[in-house]
């Protein structure tokens, strides 16, 4: 079982690399294609926020590539510097997606609140879980290793809850872009491709955590007595 679980981890890892490659290739492709209206990611984000009465939510540039995110504490949509100033189809898709999270926050979207409540446990599980599993195995302390495994389960739960949050934000983003006329019909397909590849990275992250949990559980002999 240990070998099968390890091979599954490798398979998921390779699939994750392929998905990351697909996202980067798609994003790079449509980062070179300007939208027909010549609007930047920051301009579109601001317009969508204002249209939803979220004039208090700031739109700010942040360093790096694909570092875009919504900060619910600061009430700020933060776009990576290339997307902030770019009129590309990829930039508009990403900007609208992050605004989707701001709208979720303003509307009290349930899954967003659940995810926020799980963040402390997920952070603890991500940082401490693997250490406790390995330490428990090394010391022969099964209880300690099991505690690490249970902590790491919080990571997978957090990633599971992340899926509806991200899918809903992308759905909202495409509707914003279509309904408010920021993109022409022929420009919607590239925007959808960018967001689809981005969503797949979250699926891959969940699959990776589940494969890791399976591997840890096999090391702990939770699927029956391991042969010596």
């Amino acid at each position: 079982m240990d070998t099968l679980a390890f091979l599954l981890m490798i398979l998921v890892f390779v699939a994750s690399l392929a998905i990351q490659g697909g996202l980067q290739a798609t994003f790079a492709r449509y980062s070179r294609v300007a939208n027909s209206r010549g609007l930047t990611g920051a301009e579109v984000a601001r317009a969508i926020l204002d249209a939803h009465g979220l004039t208090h939510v700031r739109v700010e540039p942040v360093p790096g590539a694909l570092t875009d995110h919504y900060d619910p504490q600061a009430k700020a949509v933060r776009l990576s510097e290339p997307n902030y100033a770019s009129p590309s189809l990829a930039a508009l898709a990403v900007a609208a997606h992050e605004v989707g999270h701001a709208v979720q926050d303003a509307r009290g979207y349930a899954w967003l609140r659940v995810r926020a409540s799980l963040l402390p446990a997920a952070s603890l599980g991500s940082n401490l879980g693997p250490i406790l599993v390995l330490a428990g195995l090394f010391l022969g302390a099964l209880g300690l290793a099991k505690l690490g495994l249970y902590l790491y389960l919080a990571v997978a739960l957090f990633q599971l809850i992340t899926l509806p949050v991200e899918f809903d934000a992308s759905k909202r983003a495409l509707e914003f872009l279509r309904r408010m006329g920021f993109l022409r019909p022929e420009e919607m397909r590239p925007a959808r491709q960018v967001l689809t590849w981005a969503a797949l990275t979250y699926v891959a992250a969940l699959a990776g955590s589940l494969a890791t949990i399976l591997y840890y559980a096999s090391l702990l002999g939770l699927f029956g007595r391991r042969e010596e």
Side-chain angles (χ1 to χ4, degrees):
M1 184 64 190
D2 294 357
T3 302
L4 289 176
F6 181 74
L7 290 176
L8 179 60
M9 283 182 62
I10 296 299
L11 180 62
V12 170
F13 177 72
V14 172
S16 297
L17 290 179
I19 290 172
Q20 285 290 343
L23 172 60
Q24 291 174 6
T26 303
F27 188 84
R29 177 183 179 184
Y30 293 118
S31 289
R32 297 189 294 268
V33 181
N35 67 84
S36 57
R37 294 184 59 182
L39 297 170
T40 66
E43 290 171 335
V44 166
R46 182 73 270 158
I48 298 173
L49 288 168
D50 291 348
H52 287 80
L54 303 179
T55 55
H56 62 287
V57 176
R58 304 189 305 277
V59 180
E60 303 173 341
V62 290
L66 293 179
T67 51
D68 314 81
H69 63 279
Y70 169 65
D71 185 336
Q73 279 72 44
K75 303 301 180 188
V77 170
R78 297 192 171 121
L79 303 177
S80 58
E81 290 174 345
N83 288 336
Y84 184 90
S86 172
S88 72
L89 297 179
L92 264 62
V94 171
H97 175 89
E98 299 308 332
V99 172
H101 288 309
V103 174
Q104 288 174 338
D105 185 25
R107 303 292 185 267
Y109 183 64
W111 288 118
L112 185 68
R113 292 185 174 182
V114 172
R115 186 177 72 166
S117 69
L118 289 173
L119 182 57
S123 297
L124 181 64
S126 179
N127 294 324
L128 194 58
I131 295 174
L132 293 181
V133 170
L134 296 176
L137 289 171
F138 180 76
L139 298 173
L142 184 60
L144 182 64
K146 284 185 177 180
L147 175 60
L149 177 61
Y150 297 147
L151 286 175
Y152 199 77
L153 286 171
V155 177
L157 181 59
F158 178 83
Q159 291 169 335
L160 178 63
I161 299 302
T162 291
L163 295 185
V165 174
E166 296 299 329
F167 292 163
D168 179 77
S170 290
K171 181 180 178 181
R172 292 174 190 263
L174 293 171
E175 180 63 17
F176 297 153
L177 295 172
R178 183 196 63 80
R179 180 167 47 84
M180 298 180 69
F182 294 122
L183 295 182
R184 293 178 176 176
E186 64 271 19
E187 295 174 319
M188 290 298 299
R189 183 172 176 270
R192 185 175 290 106
Q193 288 181 357
V194 169
L195 295 179
T196 297
W197 277 109
L200 287 175
T201 64
Y202 294 100
V203 176
L206 174 60
S209 291
L210 293 176
T212 300
I213 289 169
L214 181 64
Y215 181 61
Y216 287 162
S218 71
L219 291 177
L220 296 175
L222 299 183
F223 299 111
R225 182 179 297 277
R226 296 161 54 202
E227 295 183 3
E228 299 296 336

